[in-house]
Amino acid sequence: MKIRKLSAALLLVAAALPVRAVNPVSANFSMVSDERIMCDTDVDDDMTIAGMPMKNVRVLVSLVRPVDLGGHDLSPLVAALDSVAGVRISQSGALSVDSWKSLVAAPASAADAGYGQWLTVRSALVCLDGGLAVWRIDREMYTGGAHGMYSTDFVNYAVADGNVLAFGDVFTDGSKPALRKAIRKWISDSEYAETVASYGDSGLGSVDVPSVFYFDGQGKVWFVYQPYEIAPYSSGMIFVPLNVWEIGPALTPYARRLLGVSSEE
């Protein structure tokens, strides 16, 4: 496993999305990267899925991890990033990948996995505006069949408060009907309208507010739908952007302060 400090220039290259930095706090990051191929005769007990050693599987891990953000406590952020990515890094540097909960299940016995299977996990900082830091975590898995499976999560972190933002921190109780309506309208006006309308039993009427969302530092909140969630695999992931000022009533007072949305919006 390689661990190295990341300069600002390298950070921009490593990010999965362009980093939006507005009045950034002082920040330092490290890059953790590891690539292994598990063979029958080369089983590493530190590399596991659901606690099982992996064989005959190519594993690639590339993570941007925070070292310092304005001197604030980063332990909640680091814990959240590792949990969402399903990656654990021990004090000795041992790496395990043991929680791919958003992806298809691993084989019943990882020891029986065949060559040609692979796992990847990547994380990158995508927004840093001084009060908010947003990480993107991408995971992919192929264990056989017509195609692999992938998913993306985001971690929204209020830097000064040391708070990993949950849905209830950002959106008020009872906000889902308004958010659902805005999301469905965006989809109905988008290129995905016909595909979503014909998917499943209820089509657009079954689209709910997803659990994954992130703020982009440019006045928008993006709701993220994974493959198969509201459309077929061929449609890929669907990202729905909403202007925060348009959904102002759905935001908690805390989120309004954090995002700079006035109470009149």
Side-chain angles (χ1 to χ4, degrees):
M1 180 174 65
K2 300 176 181 178
I3 302 178
R4 63 179 185 272
K5 287 293 182 69
L6 209 61
S7 68
L10 181 57
L11 176 62
L12 292 174
V13 173
L17 293 175
V19 175
R20 171 68 174 176
V22 181
N23 299 322
V25 298
S26 60
N28 290 299
F29 307 88
S30 65
M31 171 69 84
V32 176
S33 61
D34 196 346
E35 184 172 5
R36 311 182 190 185
I37 297 178
M38 301 302 152
C39 303
D40 288 332
T41 57
D42 182 21
V43 179
D44 188 334
D45 289 336
D46 289 331
M47 184 68 75
T48 63
I49 295 181
M52 297 182 294
M54 293 166 50
K55 296 182 181 180
N56 308 334
V57 178
R58 176 180 177 271
V59 178
L60 172 63
V61 175
S62 179
L63 307 174
V64 174
R65 293 165 60 84
V67 175
D68 174 63
L69 289 176
H72 297 288
D73 178 22
L74 298 180
S75 55
L77 174 60
V78 171
L81 291 174
D82 289 352
S83 175
V84 172
V87 172
R88 296 182 184 179
I89 301 175
S90 69
Q91 292 183 348
S92 65
L95 173 71
S96 65
V97 181
D98 60 0
S99 178
W100 300 75
K101 53 185 176 296
S102 298
L103 302 176
V104 294
S109 173
D112 295 332
Y115 287 100
Q117 300 190 2
W118 47 265
L119 301 166
T120 68
V121 57
R122 297 181 175 89
S123 72
L125 176 72
V126 296
C127 175
L128 178 61
D129 70 359
L132 186 68
V134 180
W135 258 261
R136 173 172 174 159
I137 300 96
D138 294 295
R139 298 176 301 274
E140 299 177 78
M141 171 186 283
Y142 179 74
T143 58
H147 57 72
M149 191 57 185
Y150 61 94
S151 69
T152 295
D153 278 296
F154 288 86
V155 173
N156 302 273
Y157 188 68
V159 178
D161 302 331
N163 187 21
V164 177
L165 300 179
F167 190 92
D169 296 321
V170 176
F171 302 106
T172 62
D173 293 339
S175 63
K176 282 194 173 183
L179 293 174
R180 191 182 301 120
K181 180 179 179 180
I183 289 171
R184 290 178 181 178
K185 182 181 186 307
W186 185 93
I187 293 174
S188 67
D189 294 336
S190 75
E191 61 183 296
Y192 302 105
E194 184 175 343
T195 301
V196 173
S198 61
Y199 186 72
D201 297 330
S202 303
L204 188 61
S206 65
V207 172
D208 206 345
V209 181
S211 59
V212 179
F213 66 91
Y214 74 96
F215 297 97
D216 65 1
Q218 302 180 70
K220 288 185 173 62
V221 56
W222 294 72
F223 291 96
V224 183
Y225 292 92
Q226 312 296 337
Y228 292 123
E229 193 169 359
I230 60 172
Y233 182 86
S234 58
S235 296
M237 300 185 63
I238 296 179
F239 292 76
V240 177
L242 299 179
N243 293 314
V244 293
W245 58 266
E246 290 181 318
I247 61 168
L251 297 173
T252 62
Y254 174 69
R256 288 172 175 272
R257 292 193 301 271
L258 186 64
L259 300 172
V261 178
S262 71
S263 59
E264 297 178 356
E265 295 177 312

